[in-house]
């Protein structure tokens, strides 16, 4: 079992990320974006690229810093604390992970360079129904001449409305014969409709109407999408879990702060044992979940072939913990917690979307049960 | 150390070879029920020759206390080497060679607070399973309010004369020596007048009486001290500063209790155990709860590992260990409720096909009481970790 403490480099990364995000992207910046109807701030994204974050999983040959999944998760955690909205998970974590599986492919190598430089963003067009279920992909990639023709609908394409490119999962045969395509988002036949989601971030429904794809657009090999997509899904789920533990900590910090200052019946409510014990329980849940996320990062870095169980554990735990953190956050704040003027609602809404994206608690619990043989 | 530490790979290979040669078949069942645990001590009755041989061969190689220094009977392992050892034990489903309060609690406290002479005197017999220790903390008026202990030690120059009563002294009837909190200054504020004393339970003046529990068993005792003479060199740390030792030891106790839940199906998924037991049949509620418990168990185990890694790296976890105790014991209760559900009517007979399952289930109810209740743990966390007002 890997060591579950942070190295000096990792601690430094966390400290510098916190310093940057506290000044560049506190929660009020998210409120400004939300009020302006914008999904993310390209300037902050550019600064993240300058700090090397967009290249955190890009090999050094392709211009990245290649610090690994534990580092990517630490960054995502810090972003979660102040609800930083950016295409980090879609692009820097998932697309980068998929593309680096085939980095001997010149097109993929170029895309990795562009990701590291902060020049392009990606959305992953995987989901078709209300629940995450890549194995059940129906969208057909029809063989036409030397290439394929993609037709069908994708939904909940996170960061998809603004993305420059899309990774599209489509069926090229029966059973598990799925293929992954990397195509520009403005290719003929693609229609994007912005989905106005509760977390005020970028999500799109995308219609593909006979969209042409050539062999060059395929990432990996025909019928074997999961060889390249599965590592990306695992990396994404781990980073999203990390974001959720960050937002749980952020919501929890606000809650404990409130317990220490809000007075009722003449004393601060943090003196009430009923609330103290609930706060301590929530802290325990966050602390236990943090271990699963660190473990998932270490497994992805050190034993990626066997990391799936660790990732599902992290996503299942993080989904439950984030739910508890925001529910308790609103409840302990009382009426003010329900107002739009107060930030807690942002945490609650983001938590709800993050719970669903890339598989909810039930999806990952099933994976764990299957892995354990029951 | 008889193992090649050139690299982790050579170390692991050596451990594997050693286990193949030295771990008897009879202890390769992962069983950690009460009868299967080797506790050691002068009066311990081994369940089998294999159990005895396993403890002795491990002790001879420092493997009963792998991370303790070699000069005190340990293996001198680093934390990472200990992980390899535990992983390899699990891989062959081997039982732990020796468990005891000496290893879990007194040992760490002695290593931290004891003099070199005390370490040399007390630690090797613990590693060899020769002396079984029990803990004399709780009293009828000092459970959750532990610093309120009243057992008194009168200064008689070269020794203390100890009088008083302890309660919930686990396995006191089977123990050889006791480590106890004794009030040695009645005038000082309650935390400041306590000393941490060690003494022989067969040396006169100590009587014990088992307390029968709802599980039908009596792991706990009442223990009485009548004019017990405790020589002055049997104190750990300074006089009247025993509370520091007690607190340090309690953090170890919390970690120990938090991790003591895997008495059934050790190393295996609970869902798998239940599924196998019922030929794959589980109703939806049971299956969902099994998943939840499996997830909780893996997460708690990782957290115990993370805290141990932190401690090994010099970052003490301090009061946060209360969380391990809270999470681990609540989990263990939940697990045993599930075993009972899965067993259905067959789990309800005292000596039925499921063996000690009902007694174990009842025993777990004490988990969130002993060593500080769950509510006390939450209070510790809210006040000392979260900084909420008292």
């Amino acid at each position: 079992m890997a060591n579950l403490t942070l190295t000096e480099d990792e601690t430094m990364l966390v400290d510098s990320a916190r310093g940057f995000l506290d000044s560049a992207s506190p929660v009020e910046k998210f409120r400004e974006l939300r009020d302006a109807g914008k999904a993310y701030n390209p300037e902050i994204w550019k600064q993240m690229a300058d700090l090397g974050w967009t290249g955190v999983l890009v090999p050094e040959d392709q211009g990245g810093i290649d610090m690994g999944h534990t580092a990517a998760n630490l960054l995502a955690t810090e972003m979660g604390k102040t609800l930083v909205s950016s295409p980090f998970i879609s692009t820097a974590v998932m697309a980068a992970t998929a593309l680096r599986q085939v980095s001997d492919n010149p097109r993929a190598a170029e895309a990795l360079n562009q990701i590291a430089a902060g020049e392009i963003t990606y959305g992953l067009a995987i989901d078709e129904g209300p629940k995450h279920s890549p194995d059940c992909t129906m969208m057909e990639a029809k063989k036409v001449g030397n290439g394929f023709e993609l037709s069908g609908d994708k939904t909940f394409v996170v960061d998809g409305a603004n993305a420059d490119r899309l990774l599209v999962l489509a069926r090229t045969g029966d059973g598990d014969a799925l293929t992954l395509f990397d195509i520009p988002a403005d290719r003929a036949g693609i229609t994007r409709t912005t989905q106005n989601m509760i977390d005020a971030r970028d999500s799109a429904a995308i219609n593909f109407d006979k969209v042409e794809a050539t062999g060059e657009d395929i990432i990996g090999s025909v019928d074997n999408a999961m060889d390249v997509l599965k590592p990306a899904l695992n990396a994404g789920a781990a980073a999203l879990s990390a974001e959720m533990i960050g937002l749980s900590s952020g919501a929890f910090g606000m809650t404990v702060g409130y317990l220490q200052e809000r007075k009722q019946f003449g004393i601060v409510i943090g003196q009430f044992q009923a609330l103290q014990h609930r706060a301590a329980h929530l802290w325990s849940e966050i602390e236990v979940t943090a271990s699963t996320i660190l473990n998932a990062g270490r497994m992805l870095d050190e034993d990626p072939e066997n990391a799936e169980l660790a990732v599902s554990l992290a996503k299942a735990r993080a989904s439950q913990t984030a739910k508890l953190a925001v529910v308790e956050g609103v409840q302990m704040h009382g009426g003010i917690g329900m107002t739009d003027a107060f930030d807690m609602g942002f945490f609650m809404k983001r938590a709800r979307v993050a719970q669903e994206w890339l598989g909810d608690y039930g999806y990952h619990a099933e994976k764990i049960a299957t892995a354990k043989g029951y | 150390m008889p193992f090649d530490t050139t690299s982790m790979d050579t170390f692991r290979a050596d451990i594997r070879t050693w286990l193949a040669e030295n771990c008897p078949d009879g202890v390769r069942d992962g069983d950690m029920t009460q009868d299967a645990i080797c506790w050691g001590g002068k009066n311990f009755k081994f369940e089998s020759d294999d159990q005895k041989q396993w403890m002795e061969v491990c002790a001879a190689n420092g493997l009963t206390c792998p991370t303790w220094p070699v000069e005190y009977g340990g293996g001198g392992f680093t934390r990472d080497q200990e992980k390899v050892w535990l992983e390899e034990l699990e891989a062959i489903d081997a039982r732990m060679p020796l468990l005891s309060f000496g290893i879990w609690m007194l040992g760490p406290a002695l290593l931290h607070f004891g003099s070199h002479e005390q370490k040399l005197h007390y630690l090797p017999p613990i590693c060899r399973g020769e002396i079984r220790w029990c803990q004399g903390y709780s009293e009828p008026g000092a459970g959750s309010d532990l610093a309120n202990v009243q057992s008194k030690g009168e200064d008689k120059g070269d020794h203390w004369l100890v009088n008083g009563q302890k309660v919930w002294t686990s396995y006191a009837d089977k123990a050889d020596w006791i480590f106890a909190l004794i009030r040695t200054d009645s005038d000082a504020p309650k935390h400041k007048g306590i000393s941490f004393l060690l003494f022989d339970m067969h040396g006169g003046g100590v009587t014990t009486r088992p307390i029968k529990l709802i599980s039908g068993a009596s792991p706990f005792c009442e223990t009485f001290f009548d004019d017990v003479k405790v020589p002055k060199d049997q104190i750990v740390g300074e006089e009247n500063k025993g509370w520091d030792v007690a607190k340090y030891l309690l953090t170890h106790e919390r970690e120990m209790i938090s991790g003591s839940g895997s008495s059934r199906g050790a190393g295996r998924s609970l869902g798998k155990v239940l599924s196998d037991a019922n030929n794959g049949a589980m109703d939806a509620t049971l299956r969902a709860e099994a998943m939840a418990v499996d997830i909780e168990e893996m997460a708690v185990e990782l957290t115990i590992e993370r805290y141990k890694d932190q401690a090994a790296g010099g970052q003490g976890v301090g009061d946060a260990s209360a969380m391990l105790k809270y999470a681990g014991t609540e989990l263990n209760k939940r697990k045993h409720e599930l075993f009972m559900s899965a067993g259905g009517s067959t789990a309800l007979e005292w000596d039925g096909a499921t063996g000690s399952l009902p007694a174990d289930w009842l025993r777990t109810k004490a988990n969130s009481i002993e060593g500080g209740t769950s509510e006390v743990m939450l209070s510790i966390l809210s006040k000392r970790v979260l900084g909420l007002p008292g």
Side-chain angles (χ1 to χ4, degrees), chain B residues 48-63:
Chain B
S48 64
D49 290 343
D50 280 356
Q51 189 189 39
K52 182 167 190 281
Q53 187 195 329
W54 178 225
M55 182 197 81
E56 285 172 353
V57 73
C58 285
N61 289 278
L63 295 165

Side-chain angles (χ1 to χ4, degrees), chain B residues 31-39 44 51 171 219 356 360 363:
Chain B
D31 193 1
M32 291 287 279
T33 51
Q34 289 300 319
D35 287 345
I37 295 175
C38 175
W39 293 101
F44 184 73
Q51 189 189 39
Y171 302 113
S356 64
D360 291 350
R363 175 66 185 82

